Amino acid sequence: MNVLIIILSLIVIGLLANYIGKLVEFLKLPSLIGMILLGMFIGPAFLNIPEATLSISTYIKDIALVTVLFIGGLGIRLDQMKEIGRPAVLLSIVPATLEGLAIAFLSTIFLKFSFVQGAILGFIIAAVSPAVLVPSMVDLINRKIGQDKAIPQMLLVGASADDTVAITLFTTFIGIYTVNYEKKRKDNKIQNDKKAHDYGLFYCFCKIVWKICKIMLTSGAQGDILRFVVEA
């Protein structure tokens, strides 16, 4: 039953996304905007599509990303790769790296982040969205626009490698931040345990002193005081 629900819901979502995208294009806007709005509307916030479909959303997103990149690869020929190799490599490494580091530096000034936190933010922003770029570049290739210098192909190759660079650096800084966070948490735990131990000793000392004073005030017997100290 769940399989049938998933299949039917995916068919309905696909048809709605296609028609909403075309409707938004009539307004001279990217079709992706309409698809995003549709996803917000039919998601858990409003209509709440079946839980079975949401449970496999991660796999659907992975399949969609692979499909988009595959379609982008179909628009690139081997001879074009040889021609645009060096510019595409520079286009994939330099912009993402500079953009991520610039945001990391500026976030330490304006947002009061640490450099590592700023780098995490920077490389999230620096990553190119294949869902936006690839369909646009494939459309330019089909319309024979920018073919004299193979600009759409260059952007397709550069964007794919750009995502790899941005995700690699993002993962690296996430790892650094996680290690530092775990180390700080362990240090705080050690300090808290030490404070608790010191407070415990101080409490025991105060309790002994209080009992001694209480015995002195009530009985005044030195033997009782000595016996209490020995027992304590």
Side-chain angles (χ1 to χ4, degrees):
M1 186 65 181
N2 284 341
V3 176
L4 181 61
I5 292 175
I6 291 173
I7 293 174
L8 290 177
S9 61
L10 290 178
I11 292 173
V12 172
I13 291 170
L15 292 174
L16 288 175
N18 183 45
Y19 288 116
I20 291 294
K22 291 181 178 179
L23 179 63
V24 172
E25 285 180 345
F26 282 116
L27 303 176
K28 305 300 181 182
L29 294 173
S31 60
L32 186 65
I33 294 177
M35 296 178 186
I36 292 174
L37 293 176
L38 175 66
M40 294 170 59
F41 183 71
I42 66 176
F46 293 99
L47 295 183
N48 194 11
I49 62 175
E51 185 68 27
T53 306
L54 286 176
S55 64
I56 63 169
S57 60
T58 303
Y59 305 104
I60 296 174
K61 287 183 287 186
D62 291 340
I63 294 171
L65 177 60
V66 171
T67 304
V68 169
L69 294 177
F70 178 74
I71 293 173
L74 292 177
I76 303 173
R77 298 197 308 270
L78 184 59
D79 57 336
Q80 292 175 333
M81 285 284 292
K82 294 178 181 178
E83 293 177 4
I84 64 176
R86 181 174 175 274
V89 170
L90 293 177
L91 190 63
S92 64
I93 297 175
V94 176
T97 305
L98 292 181
E99 183 180 352
L101 294 178
I103 294 174
F105 174 73
L106 292 175
S107 64
T108 60
I109 299 174
F110 296 105
L111 301 178
K112 306 303 179 184
F113 285 179
S114 67
F115 183 80
V116 174
Q117 291 172 329
I120 294 172
L121 173 65
F123 289 108
I124 290 175
I125 297 174
V128 176
S129 174
V132 176
L133 183 95
V134 172
S136 301
M137 294 303 103
V138 171
D139 181 59
L140 292 179
I141 293 172
N142 293 333
R143 292 160 58 187
K144 307 297 181 182
I145 298 176
Q147 295 303 302
D148 53 340
K149 295 184 179 180
I151 293 175
Q153 290 86 347
M154 188 187 306
L155 290 175
L156 283 175
V157 175
S160 301
D162 177 279
D163 281 341
T164 303
V165 172
I167 292 171
T168 300
L169 292 173
F170 168 77
T171 306
T172 301
F173 281 104
I174 278 285
I176 295 172
Y177 181 78
T178 304
V179 170
N180 292 337
Y181 176 78
E182 290 294 333
K183 182 179 179 182
K184 186 181 296 185
R185 189 177 69 173
K186 288 180 180 179
D187 292 341
N188 290 336
K189 186 176 184 301
I190 292 173
Q191 292 178 0
N192 292 334
D193 291 343
K194 185 177 179 181
K195 288 180 180 178
H197 180 263
D198 294 339
Y199 289 151
L201 291 177
F202 180 72
Y203 173 77
C204 293
F205 175 76
C206 292
K207 188 174 182 181
I208 292 173
V209 172
W210 166 249
K211 287 191 175 181
I212 291 175
C213 294
K214 186 177 180 180
I215 292 174
M216 291 178 65
L217 292 174
T218 54
S219 65
Q222 299 295 326
D224 292 339
I225 296 174
L226 182 62
R227 185 175 63 254
F228 172 76
V229 172
V230 172
E231 290 177 356

